[in-house]
Amino acid sequence: MSWILPALFFLVALIYSIAGFGGGSSYIALLILFEFPYEIIPIIGLACNLVVSLAGAINFTRAGHFQAKLLSPFLFASMPCAYLAGSMDVSKEIFVFLLASTLSYASFHLFFGNQKFADKDLIEPGVQKFWVIGVFSGAVIGFLSGVVGIGGGIFLSPLLYFLRWASPQQIASLASSFIFLNSLTGLIGQLSKRAPNDIAIYVDLLTDYALLPLVVAVAGLIGSFLGAKKLYGRSIQFATALLVCYVSVSLWWRWIEMIL
């Protein structure tokens, strides 16, 4: 493996971890650009998500931004749905469609980002509304994340910004923990549908590409530390958005060719 892919993974992990994300959507985009087999893409993406989001969860929690009660309803539904979706066999056409849709959304989110707001603008949700919205959205996010091979933070974070249930850094902390737990259950689901011989092959492949989880772990520690200290890299985020947008357009073209 050349140095280019690990370097790109490092950069992606650094950018995403600043906002509490794992970077799964962009890892997938890069793996597609480097023509990895579709079967291994979600597994590598989820494995890298795990280490980056764990680093983020540690740094944001140590900085005092984690609020466990805000995460409960989302995880209640998202984790089983991530496992269920990960264990399902989906056709290549459906996988490409969902992946293209996810990357299109991710690029849009990276281009425009989240508008910052002051703590005085936070809204305290009612218990019933809190659980209804949390469980429903958690189920949808978990299912989509499990199929595609991402952690779901790219969907959770904008939702929490829109609802204004938490401050920006609390949202980054929640996203990190959410991504870690969803990536874990999604990865277990992905592996559960593989035959024992296939799992051994995937383990060997992950061993061959062990440098990728290693470099994103280092980047995740650095990025989440900067994010916890309110340092952001907007221009680099914009460049990442261009990459993800390019891959999403390519995938839409592939999907059209598949169905015609």
Side-chain angles (χ1 to χ4, degrees):
M1 177 174 55
S2 71
W3 62 269
I4 299 176
L5 187 59
L8 291 173
F9 265 56
F10 181 90
L11 183 60
V12 165
L14 183 66
I15 297 165
Y16 275 78
S17 59
I18 289 175
F21 296 148
S25 56
S26 290
Y27 302 142
I28 289 173
L30 289 170
L31 292 171
I32 290 171
L33 283 177
F34 279 78
E35 299 183 344
F36 276 60
Y38 280 96
E39 295 78 8
I40 191 65
I41 286 175
I43 295 176
I44 294 179
L46 288 169
C48 290
N49 253 358
L50 275 174
V51 293
V52 176
S53 57
L54 178 60
I58 292 171
N59 273 331
F60 281 105
T61 299
R62 290 180 61 186
H65 300 302
F66 183 65
Q67 299 290 324
K69 66 177 183 179
L70 290 175
L71 202 57
S72 302
F74 296 98
L75 287 177
F76 178 79
S78 68
M79 290 180 66
C81 286
Y83 172 82
L84 175 64
S87 63
M88 293 173 56
D89 285 315
V90 297
S91 67
K92 190 173 182 178
E93 291 80 4
I94 293 176
F95 176 76
V96 171
F97 173 79
L98 291 175
L99 183 53
S101 301
T102 301
L103 292 179
S104 297
Y105 173 82
S107 64
F108 178 86
H109 175 68
L110 286 169
F111 272 123
F112 298 101
N114 293 309
Q115 299 299 317
K116 301 297 183 290
F117 52 87
D119 288 348
K120 64 182 179 63
D121 298 322
L122 293 179
I123 298 173
E124 184 69 29
V127 175
Q128 183 176 0
K129 179 180 180 181
F130 177 61
W131 277 90
V132 169
I133 293 177
V135 170
F136 176 76
S137 58
V140 174
I141 293 172
F143 188 84
L144 180 58
S145 301
V147 171
V148 176
I150 62 175
I154 199 75
F155 299 110
L156 177 67
S157 180
L159 175 63
L160 290 176
Y161 269 89
F162 174 76
L163 295 170
R164 297 195 176 184
W165 288 354
S167 69
Q169 285 181 299
Q170 286 174 339
I171 291 173
S173 178
L174 294 171
S176 293
S177 299
F178 183 82
I179 292 167
F180 175 76
L181 293 170
N182 272 335
S183 296
L184 180 61
T185 52
L187 181 59
I188 294 172
Q190 288 282 343
L191 293 175
S192 71
K193 67 183 179 184
R194 316 291 180 178
N197 290 339
D198 290 337
I199 293 177
I201 293 173
Y202 293 133
V203 170
D204 289 340
L205 282 171
L206 287 175
T207 302
D208 292 339
Y209 295 101
L211 182 59
L212 297 179
L214 178 61
V215 297
V216 298
V218 174
L221 285 169
I222 297 172
S224 58
F225 175 79
L226 296 177
K229 301 297 182 182
K230 300 184 179 181
L231 299 175
Y232 303 94
R234 181 61 182 164
S235 59
I236 305 178
Q237 179 177 317
F238 185 81
T240 305
L242 290 175
L243 167 66
V244 177
C245 182
Y246 169 76
V247 177
S248 67
V249 172
S250 300
L251 280 174
W252 280 119
W253 183 252
R254 291 189 193 184
W255 180 73
I256 292 172
E257 290 179 332
M258 287 178 182
I259 62 175
L260 293 181

